[in-house]
């Protein structure tokens, strides 16, 4: 029995061992299957990538926080410094300038950043300079090796500007006649003048008003101080060349070798008139507006004079901001002093203006305010060969009628009858070219100029443009020949223009020349199109010196500028 039992247990043990091996193998197989399953699963990699991305974003956000803290403190310090120096430099303040600055920083909670306060005399007032230094620990930038951020800034204000000279360069082009723009400008200009003169010592401030459209009419007295080509007395504008816009100066007739400027011809490039039919027909609109209301007002010292001038402005013509700025900076340049002397001698301006424009200096503030409601448009002029000298047009003194030489075809018809009972009548027409004279008045040809040779003379080209617009003259030529090419050819012959792109470049040169001499330029876009913003910002002393306004807001713009230039000058 015993032996039998042992064998049975041995058999059972072997069976259990085999079963155990099967279970173990099955476990190993399941483990391998699970391992292979996880090896193929990619979900875990996204979690890891997300964790890295989160860390990176947190670091970058933290760096942004450090930079924002730096910029916030810088802005707060700069604003406090600017306000402090303006208050400290105020000549009406009896408080110690240093104490005023310290008080501003203490109330702002920024005393720990105030470094130095320097006070110096400037003209009849003072100059105050504040320097600030700041340092603070970073939160996240120290991971990049920056444990602290430093900032340094300063601000300087001066009071004691002994002289203030202002040039108001105002757009009076045709579009200014819309939507009460001129009315609103008159209100703005009056308040500007009132602020300037009320806040300035007597005889220490002047305002020159320079209205511009296609051109700037400076008046007969100023024009007489220049050597002019083809001068006339219909109006007083100049055709500047491209190089003229790179300088504030002008060449007066008093120089040893004065440069000659070309005076703008009196002509109308826009409209038609019937001068060749009706002797008393007038030009509709000329390039240089002869209206005295739109002539410049030089060196005024009174509110009434400036406000009346701006209130009397009329709209007319294209837009030449560049020409307006050229004259504006000229009225601020010391090279113009001889013109001032003549204006005083002629009784045109007050004797207190002797020596103006004053020399450029730290105690003389020169400001140009440029206003426009648009962008540049073409500036027209007459080519040299048609500006002066005899034309080919005759005028009869008795009738004031004109005629000009013209070939025409003269035809003669002869009739003949053949002999015989049934004689036939035939007509023959013979034509030949004949030299004659065409009279637009009655559209007839004559053997001599209209009115005969005794009382006729050739018109000078300047007289032609006093009678005819460019288009009417060209149409008169077409009327004679019947060839439309004659109309367009004469248009091309007799006028040319400077286009808007070239004028943009000229304006940029003029503004750069003015700013190089320290002239402060404010520009105002008065309901101007988007295209105007670029050229006006470029012209201004800085982007903050450009103002975009609508309607009555123009009054606020001029008022803000007037207040700024008559209060303290924040110089740095």
């Amino acid at each position: 029995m015993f032996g039998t039992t042992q064998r049975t247990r041995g058999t059972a043990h072997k069976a259990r061992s085999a079963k155990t091996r099967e279970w173990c193998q099955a476990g190993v197989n399941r483990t391998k299957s699970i391992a292979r399953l996880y090896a193929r699963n990619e979900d875990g990699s996204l979690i890891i990538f997300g964790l890295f991305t989160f860390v990176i974003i947190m670091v970058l956000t933290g760096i942004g926080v450090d930079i924002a803290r730096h910029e916030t403190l810088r802005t707060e310090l700069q604003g406090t410094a600017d306000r402090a120096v303006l208050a400290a430099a105020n000549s009406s303040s009896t408080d110690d300038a240093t104490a005023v600055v310290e008080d501003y920083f203490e109330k702002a909670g920024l005393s720990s950043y105030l470094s130095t306060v320097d006070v110096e005399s400037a003209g009849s007032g003072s100059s105050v300079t504040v320097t600030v230094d700041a340092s603070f620990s970073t939160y996240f930038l120290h991971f990049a090796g920056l444990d602290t951020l430093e900032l340094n800034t300063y601000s300087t204000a001066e009071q004691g500007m002994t002289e203030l000279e202002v040039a108001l360069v105002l757009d009076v082009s045709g579009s200014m006649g819309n939507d009460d723009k001129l009315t609103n400008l008159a209100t703005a200009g009056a308040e500007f003048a009132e602020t300037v003169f009320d806040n300035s010592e007597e005889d220490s401030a002047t305002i020159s008003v320079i209205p511009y459209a296609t051109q700037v009419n400076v008046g007969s007295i100023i024009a007489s101080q220049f050597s002019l080509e083809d001068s006339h007395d219909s109006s007083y504008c100049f055709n500047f060349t491209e190089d003229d816009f790179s300088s504030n100066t002008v060449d007066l007739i008093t120089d040893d070798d004065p440069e000659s400027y070309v005076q703008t011809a009196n002509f109308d490039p826009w409209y038609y008139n019937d001068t060749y039919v009706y002797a008393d027909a007038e030009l509709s609109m000329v390039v240089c507006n002869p209206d005295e209301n739109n002539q410049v007002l030089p060196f005024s010292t009174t509110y009434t004079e400036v406000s009346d001038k701006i209130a009397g402005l009329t709209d007319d013509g294209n837009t030449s901001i560049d020409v307006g700025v050229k004259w504006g900076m000229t009225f601020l340049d010391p090279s113009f002093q001889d013109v001032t002397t003549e204006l005083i001698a002629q009784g045109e301006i007050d004797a207190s203006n002797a020596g103006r424009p004053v020399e450029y200096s730290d105690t003389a503030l020169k400001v140009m305010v440029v206003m426009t409601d648009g962008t540049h448009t073409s500036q027209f002029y007459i080519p040299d060969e048609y500006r002066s000298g005899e034309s080919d047009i005759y005028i009869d003194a008795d009738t004031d009628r004109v005629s000009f030489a013209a070939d025409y075809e003269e035809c003669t018809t002869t009739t003949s009858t053949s002999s015989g009972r049934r004689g036939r009548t035939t007509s023959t027409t013979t034509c030949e070219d004949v030299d004659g004279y065409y009279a637009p008045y009655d559209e007839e040809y004559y053997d001599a100029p209209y009115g005969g040779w005794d009382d006729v003379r050739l018109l000078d080209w300047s007289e032609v443009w006093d009678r005819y617009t460019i288009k009417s003259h060209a149409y008169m030529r077409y009327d004679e020949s019947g060839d439309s090419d004659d109309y367009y050819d004469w248009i091309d012959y007799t006028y040319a223009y400077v286009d808007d792109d070239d004028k943009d470049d000229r304006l940029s040169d003029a503004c750069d020349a003015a700013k190089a001499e320290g002239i402060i330029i404010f520009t105002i876009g008065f309901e101007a199109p988007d295209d105007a913003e670029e050229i006006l910002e470029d012209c201004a002393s800085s982007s903050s010196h450009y103002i975009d306004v609508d309607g009555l807001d123009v009054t606020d713009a001029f008022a803000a500028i007037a207040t700024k230039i008559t209060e303290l000058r924040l110089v740095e």
Side-chain angles (χ1 to χ4, degrees):
M1 286 292 293
F2 178 79
T4 304
T5 302
Q6 288 295 325
R7 287 195 297 273
T8 301
R9 288 179 178 174
T11 302
H13 176 73
K14 292 179 180 178
R16 286 197 297 270
S17 297
K19 190 68 173 179
T20 299
R21 285 194 297 273
E22 291 177 3
W23 289 345
C24 289
Q25 186 62 48
V28 170
N29 292 339
R30 283 196 298 272
T31 301
K32 290 181 178 180
S33 297
I34 292 172
R36 285 194 295 270
L37 176 63
Y38 276 104
R40 292 194 299 270
N41 194 330
E42 297 179 356
D43 291 344
S45 62
L46 292 176
I47 295 174
I48 296 171
F49 177 75
L51 290 173
F52 276 112
T53 302
F54 176 75
V55 171
I56 292 171
I57 291 174
M58 290 296 294
V59 171
L60 292 177
T61 301
I63 292 173
V65 170
D66 285 338
I67 294 173
R69 290 172 59 219
H70 179 275
E71 181 61 20
T72 299
L73 180 59
R74 186 200 66 78
T75 302
E76 189 175 4
L77 285 171
Q78 187 67 63
T80 302
D82 289 347
R83 291 190 294 272
V85 295
L86 287 173
N90 191 338
S91 60
S92 63
S93 173
T94 58
D95 297 329
D96 178 74
T98 301
V100 171
V101 172
E102 291 175 347
D103 184 59
Y104 266 81
F105 274 81
E106 181 180 354
K107 290 179 178 177
L110 302 172
S111 296
S112 60
Y113 301 116
L114 179 60
S115 179
T116 61
V117 180
D118 295 320
V119 183
E120 299 178 358
S121 61
S124 60
S126 61
S127 170
V128 180
T129 300
V130 165
T131 304
V132 295
D133 296 300
S135 174
F136 63 88
S137 300
T138 61
Y139 293 149
F140 291 90
L141 280 173
H142 70 270
F143 290 119
L146 292 175
D147 295 329
T148 59
L149 285 179
E150 309 283 342
L151 64 86
N152 308 97
T153 188
Y154 67 95
S155 183
T156 300
E158 291 181 4
Q159 186 175 36
M161 307 307 297
T162 58
E163 302 290 347
L164 172 61
E165 294 176 347
V166 180
L168 289 180
V169 181
L170 306 178
D171 187 348
V172 291
S173 59
S175 56
M176 283 295 294
N178 302 329
D179 303 323
D180 296 323
K181 290 180 183 178
L182 285 180
T183 301
N184 294 337
L185 177 61
T187 301
E191 292 195 17
F192 179 90
E194 184 176 28
T195 300
V196 168
F197 292 128
D198 284 352
N199 294 323
S200 301
E201 295 292 332
E202 185 177 0
D203 298 332
S204 68
T206 63
I207 297 177
S208 297
V209 181
I210 298 95
Y212 71 91
T214 312
Q215 272 285 8
V216 172
N217 189 342
V218 296
S220 60
I221 296 176
I222 293 177
S224 69
Q225 302 304 296
F226 296 85
S227 177
L228 297 174
E229 296 179 10
D230 303 327
S231 61
H232 58 85
D233 295 326
S234 296
S235 57
Y236 306 95
C237 299
F238 295 7
N239 292 344
F240 290 117
T241 65
E242 181 179 352
D243 291 341
D244 292 326
F245 291 88
S246 298
S247 172
N248 300 332
T249 62
V250 289
D251 293 297
L252 303 176
I253 202 170
T254 52
D255 291 346
D256 294 335
D257 185 21
E259 177 183 345
S260 292
Y261 292 97
V262 175
Q263 186 172 354
T264 304
N266 186 61
F267 74 105
D268 179 351
W270 292 287
Y271 295 102
Y272 288 91
N273 68 346
D274 292 326
T275 307
Y276 60 89
V277 177
Y278 305 105
D280 59 350
E282 296 181 354
L283 302 179
S284 298
M285 184 169 68
V286 293
V287 166
C288 181
N289 189 340
D291 190 347
E292 187 175 350
N293 286 343
N294 279 24
Q295 289 183 7
V296 300
L297 172 66
F299 309 113
S300 176
T301 56
T302 68
Y303 158 78
T304 301
E305 196 172 31
V306 173
S307 60
D308 287 351
K309 164 59 71 173
I310 298 176
L313 296 175
T314 58
D315 60 285
D316 181 19
N318 281 6
T319 304
S320 292
I321 312 170
D322 57 332
V323 180
V325 168
K326 170 60 183 175
W327 278 113
M329 64 186 188
T330 298
F331 275 80
L332 297 173
D333 193 84
S335 66
F336 215 56
Q337 289 176 0
D338 287 340
V339 176
T340 307
T341 301
E342 183 62 23
L343 289 168
I344 293 173
Q346 297 279 347
E348 292 294 312
I349 61 175
D350 191 81
S352 63
N353 284 300
R356 290 192 182 275
V358 299
E359 299 295 330
Y360 297 111
S361 70
D362 292 338
T363 58
L365 181 61
K366 295 174 182 280
V367 177
M368 183 159 49
V369 182
V370 183
M371 184 282 297
T372 184
D373 73 335
T375 55
H376 280 122
T377 48
S378 296
Q379 177 186 337
F380 302 108
Y381 63 93
I382 300 288
D384 290 344
E385 57 267 39
Y386 294 103
R387 285 176 48 83
S388 60
E390 288 186 343
S391 71
D392 63 339
I393 300 175
Y394 290 90
I395 184 168
D396 176 42
D398 293 335
T399 63
D400 205 39
R401 304 299 180 192
V402 300
S403 58
F404 54 91
D407 296 336
Y408 65 98
E409 193 176 60
E410 186 174 71
C411 298
T412 303
T413 301
T414 58
T415 303
S416 62
T417 303
S418 61
S419 59
R421 292 175 56 189
R422 297 183 178 181
R424 301 176 61 184
T425 300
T426 58
S427 298
T428 302
T429 301
T430 303
C431 297
E432 62 177 342
D433 291 335
V434 177
D435 293 334
Y437 297 86
Y438 178 76
Y441 170 66
D442 57 8
E443 299 181 346
E444 294 290 341
Y445 291 91
Y446 295 88
D447 293 335
Y450 187 91
W453 285 106
D454 292 340
D455 295 314
V456 297
R457 66 177 180 86
L458 285 171
L459 289 173
D460 188 90
W461 277 114
S462 63
E463 294 179 289
V464 171
W465 308 129
D466 285 338
R467 296 173 64 91
Y468 306 141
T469 70
I470 293 293
K471 292 180 179 179
S472 290
H473 169 262
Y475 188 83
M476 182 176 68
R477 303 287 186 164
Y478 157 73
D479 201 34
E480 183 277 321
S481 69
D483 186 350
S484 61
D485 285 345
D486 282 343
Y487 173 83
Y488 293 108
D489 287 345
W490 275 104
I491 290 286
D492 291 340
Y493 296 156
T494 54
Y495 90 117
Y497 61 90
V498 182
D499 65 22
D500 55 347
D501 289 336
D502 288 338
K503 293 178 75 62
D504 285 351
D505 292 339
R506 292 181 176 193
L507 173 63
S508 181
D509 289 343
C511 295
D512 287 346
K515 287 182 285 190
E517 293 291 357
I519 295 174
I520 298 174
I521 304 177
F522 293 90
T523 57
I524 300 175
F526 186 14
E527 299 181 16
D530 293 339
D531 292 347
E533 182 173 349
E534 182 177 353
I535 62 173
L536 291 176
E537 279 193 337
D538 177 67
C539 180
S541 292
S542 73
S543 58
S544 63
H545 286 72
Y546 165 65
I547 307 173
D548 185 26
V549 296
D550 295 318
L552 289 173
D553 289 343
V554 70
T555 301
D556 295 334
F558 274 93
I561 294 171
T563 300
K564 187 176 183 66
I565 65 178
T566 55
E567 287 183 347
L568 303 167
R569 182 169 68 140
L570 191 64
V571 295
E572 294 183 73

